[in-house]
Amino acid sequence: DTGVSQNPRHKITKRGQNVTFRCDPISEHNRLYWYRQTLGQGPEFLTYFQNEAQLEKSRLLSDRFSAERPKGSFSTLEIQRTEQGDSAMYLCASSLGEDTVHIQYFGAGTRLSVL
Amino acid sequence: RKEVEQDPGPFNVPEGATVAFNCTYSNSASQSFFWYRQDCRKEPKLLMSVYSSGNEDGRFTAQLNRASQYISLLIRDSKLSDSATYLCVVNNPSGTYKYIFGTGTRLKVLA
């Protein structure tokens, strides 16, 4: 499968625990995005990487959230001290920098439930 | 005001019907526009890009009106398999090209 891969697909955790999600983008894509989607809403932008550089972070990304893309390939999103309000689908997308239309391709997402 | 606005629906239509969705956006500098389809509890998948000249892909036609800042999607001869949420997406022109999504319009095609 050469699409965007996300792991785990589902995560159930207790409030206060830390969780980490992984995203493997399409191999030649240098742009990587994280979004969060809650029920009945469209996805909302969280953060953006161009290669290994994190170039933009949304105000939605509180201090408890951190994202990395250490070698410009896969990315991780960590949430510390989870809260019930963090329950959502976390989507990763990638795109090719040379694509003038900037189409993004999405992974299947990680569904987080905080109890 | 939301940056991208859509009627959330639901639109319940019989098989074979024609249905149209509209979407408005607020940033006149936006450059790229898309319709994505999202099935329940799945990821968004690109349905089609939207161009000023309009574009058609089989039963689906998309239009962009830059002057009025709206995007439309027309589905002809609806199939049961068209039941999904249709997300209007505008590309933020700031340099990151992050997506700004509407809330999505739910479509249910009835037998």
Side-chain angles (χ1 to χ4, degrees), chain A residues 13-107:
Chain A
T13 191
K14 292 183 179 179
R15 191 173 49 189
Q17 298 295 303
N18 299 344
V19 294
T20 300
F21 310 142
R22 176 176 170 131
C23 171
D24 287 89
I26 294 171
S27 59
E28 66 269 26
H29 285 186
N30 58 339
R31 294 172 176 259
L32 187 147
Y33 304 81
W34 286 98
Y35 295 86
R36 181 171 69 187
Q37 186 175 23
T38 53
L39 198 62
Q41 301 297 317
E44 294 176 291
F45 170 77
L46 292 179
T47 191
Y48 162 69
F49 289 86
Q50 184 165 318
N51 299 310
E52 67 276 6
Q54 187 175 21
L55 298 184
E56 185 170 343
K57 295 196 307 185
S58 162
R59 289 172 297 166
L60 293 174
L61 219 62
S62 75
D63 291 345
R64 298 183 297 103
F65 288 71
S66 63
E68 294 181 342
R69 194 182 183 197
K71 297 182 181 178
S73 56
F74 73 91
S75 175
T76 58
L77 177 68
E78 180 183 17
I79 309 174
Q80 296 183 324
R81 303 181 305 281
T82 52
E83 301 174 355
Q84 287 184 326
D86 297 331
S87 297
M89 171 82 95
Y90 290 83
L91 292 161
C92 176
S94 69
S95 71
L96 190 60
E98 291 73 30
D99 175 7
T100 56
V101 183
H102 304 285
I103 293 173
Q104 295 180 26
Y105 298 88
F106 286 82

Side-chain angles (χ1 to χ4, degrees), chain B residues 26-88:
Chain B
S26 60
N27 189 338
S28 60
S30 300
Q31 297 174 353
S32 299
F33 309 88
F34 311 94
W35 284 101
Y36 274 72
R37 171 191 168 127
Q38 187 171 32
D39 293 292
C40 189
R41 302 177 77 83
K42 302 283 189 180
E43 75 273 25
K45 291 186 178 177
L46 180 67
L47 180 65
M48 54 200 311
S49 301
V50 188
Y51 306 111
S52 295
S53 55
N55 48 309
E56 186 173 314
D57 182 3
R59 298 181 292 109
F60 298 84
T61 301
Q63 295 276 354
L64 166 64
N65 184 318
R66 285 189 181 271
S68 301
Q69 293 181 210
Y70 81 78
I71 306 154
S72 65
L73 177 67
L74 184 76
I75 306 175
R76 290 181 298 278
D77 189 23
S78 300
K79 310 291 184 191
L80 294 175
S81 57
D82 294 334
S83 297
T85 294
Y86 291 84
L87 294 161
C88 174

